[in-house]
Amino acid sequence: MKRCRLLAGLIASLVCAGPGFSQTINSRPSPPPQICANGQCATIKSGSQNSGSIKWNPGQYMASEGILSGKSTLANFTSEMDDLSGWDNIIGYRLFVSWGALERAEGSYDFSVLDAILNRLKTQYKKPKRLVIALVPGSFGNCHVGTGDYIPLYIQQNSLYGASPDGGSYGWWGGISNGDVNACVAAVWRPAVMRRFIALVKALGAHYDADPDFEAIMIQEDSWVIGNAVNTSPKDPSYVDATMLAQLQSLLTAATSAFPHTSVVMQNTWLQQPTSTQAFEQWMVNNRIAPGSPDSVGQSAFTDYDFANPTSKFAWGLEAYMGVQASGSAWKPVDLRPEAHAFMDVEGPDIAGTFYGFVGAPEGFEPQDIIAALNQTYKASHAFWIHFNGSDPVWPGSGTVSAVAPWASWSSLAPIINSNPLVNTSYPENYP
């Protein structure tokens, strides 16, 4: 089925869905009418799993705790992936992947480690597991500037890509303390840098779009990118919301073209202004981009603390997805959940630690509470649950998982998510 949609809001142009999917992927058998586990059943609408041209395998996924960098090998992730064994209803693995891990020189791509991870997911288990990658244009921790571990060296070495806070390199921004670079991000709000990031996405599409077990490509949270640009000292004087927004639209338009049979997900939480953030969420849904986000709270935050109200700490993008007008936004509320399903991350602070004490979760939300929110409020089709081994430190400084929230360690978490399916699994209305 092809569908052309007249876009409104940020741009006005006509976009048509790509060509029909290959026979290989369309040859899967139809899903059962219900998925039942542990006495709970989720009804699946007729034709919901493959009723269009996009691969569609909704459900519970493990999420990597680490990030694939230029120094990573398959061995860095095998122990984590081994913990998928025995959990047939946890259907895949979400992996953080840095730009530097995939492009070793300009236009020279190395997908060998990613291929090995995908092949292991296909062959190691009773049922093949799917792969979702979250593409990160930088590093969450030490950036290793001067190496290509997270941002390709050719970006750092060429003044074409603009200044950095370190006068000896280019094309990125981040915080520097005591001479060390902390988290950093490639300056994708600059057109020259974004052109190279788009080239990577196109190469990934050519390599993985036709693979039935490559489920989705996700773009890392925009507020994380922006935070590295403007919440640092010094901040990047070249950053403005309008340019960032234009570059994100170019990236996502290229991504859907490069991945005509694969879900493209954008974690839109906060730009600098609420109106542009909320209008961007509408643009995403109009253009078959799946809404994604970190920071999944439990249903109790909504029912007991009205977490979705415009003055809460709820992300502006997610408020738009739910039809809530953010404080100070001129965007008019439209509930987007009937058209699109959310791809939600469940991270460390969500299930352990003190971050959500202000909404009644001083030790993090229990998994069943988050699952209730995924099903009732977020209307999520995919959920990515962080793999904790039981003694990991939890940001922001609240001790260890075992001391704070025993349900957050994978050995306790896996049986819960394996036995509690997501229910909003129908093929999205905004997909071709």
Side-chain angles (χ1 to χ4, degrees), residues 62 80-88 124-125 129 410:
M62 177 195 284
E80 188 174 70
M81 289 192 293
D82 281 345
D83 284 346
L84 285 166
S85 294
W87 307 114
D88 288 347
Q124 187 71 17
Y125 311 97
K129 306 292 186 183
W410 186 255

Side-chain angles (χ1 to χ4, degrees), residues 52-406:
S53 63
I54 308 296
K55 287 167 282 186
W56 187 245
N57 297 283
Q60 309 281 26
Y61 287 66
M62 177 195 284
S64 61
E65 188 176 2
I67 180 173
L68 182 70
S69 76
K71 285 195 169 95
S72 299
T73 67
L74 174 64
N76 292 112
F77 301 94
T78 52
S79 176
E80 188 174 70
M81 289 192 293
D82 281 345
D83 284 346
L84 285 166
S85 294
W87 307 114
D88 288 347
N89 295 327
I90 301 175
I91 64 171
Y93 182 59
R94 198 290 320 277
L95 177 67
F96 283 128
V97 180
S98 73
W99 184 355
L102 304 179
E103 189 175 13
R104 303 304 174 86
E106 184 171 1
S108 178
Y109 302 105
D110 182 355
F111 301 148
S112 58
V113 177
L114 200 54
D115 285 344
I117 289 170
L118 180 55
N119 183 64
R120 198 173 195 277
L121 292 170
K122 291 171 179 281
T123 60
Q124 187 71 17
Y125 311 97
K126 180 180 176 183
K127 295 181 179 180
K129 306 292 186 183
R130 273 79 185 188
L131 175 65
V132 173
I133 67 168
L135 197 56
V136 183
S139 170
F140 299 127
N142 191 305
C143 200
H144 296 184
V145 168
T147 76
D149 290 349
Y150 298 100
I151 298 173
L153 269 177
Y154 78 87
I155 296 287
Q156 300 178 47
Q157 294 172 347
N158 193 332
S159 61
L160 170 69
Y161 301 109
S164 79
D166 177 348
S169 60
Y170 305 95
W172 61 273
W173 210 268
I176 298 180
S177 58
N178 299 320
D180 293 327
V181 179
N182 301 318
C184 70
V185 65
V188 291
W189 51 93
R190 301 174 189 167
V193 178
M194 181 58 89
R195 279 194 291 272
R196 295 308 313 156
F197 196 56
I198 287 173
L200 169 65
V201 170
K202 289 179 177 179
L204 283 164
H207 195 74
Y208 290 112
D209 180 62
D211 192 309
D213 295 307
F214 188 95
E215 175 73 359
I217 179 171
M218 179 184 298
I219 305 301
Q220 175 60 27
E221 182 183 9
D222 50 18
S223 67
W224 173 81
V225 173
I226 295 164
N228 277 290
V230 301
N231 295 334
T232 54
S233 181
K235 66 180 182 179
D236 183 1
S238 74
Y239 179 85
V240 293
D241 256 8
T243 303
M244 177 65 174
L245 190 55
Q247 296 311 308
L248 286 174
Q249 289 177 321
S250 295
L251 170 64
L252 295 172
T253 300
T256 54
S257 178
F259 286 94
H261 309 119
T262 304
S263 288
V264 176
V265 187
M266 177 69 217
Q267 292 190 329
N268 174 39
T269 49
W270 289 278
L271 299 169
Q272 287 194 295
Q273 299 299 323
T275 299
S276 54
T277 306
Q278 296 208 297
F280 181 40
E281 193 85 359
Q282 177 80 68
W283 181 92
M284 285 164 45
V285 172
N286 287 350
N287 286 272
R288 80 96 162 158
I289 306 300
S293 184
D295 310 323
S296 300
V297 302
Q299 185 63 21
S300 61
F302 296 104
T303 57
D304 299 340
Y305 291 88
D306 194 21
F307 188 62
N309 77 71
T311 59
S312 75
K313 295 181 180 180
F314 197 41
W316 295 331
L318 277 178
E319 284 184 318
Y321 166 68
M322 293 171 54
V324 176
Q325 187 174 23
S327 180
S329 174
W331 178 82
K332 299 304 180 185
V334 178
D335 192 344
L336 302 173
R337 289 173 294 180
E339 294 188 69
H341 297 312
F343 286 53
M344 299 297 296
D345 274 7
V346 183
E347 298 181 319
D350 308 345
I351 54 176
T354 60
F355 184 75
Y356 285 109
F358 71 98
V359 282
E363 296 181 333
F365 295 98
E366 294 190 34
Q368 293 92 338
D369 195 8
I370 293 177
I371 292 167
L374 293 172
N375 285 330
Q376 297 174 38
T377 298
Y378 294 122
K379 307 290 186 183
S381 58
H382 296 64
F384 310 109
W385 297 80
I386 190 168
H387 178 277
F388 274 140
N389 64 26
S391 59
D392 316 60
V394 181
W395 178 88
S398 55
T400 62
V401 172
S402 57
V404 178

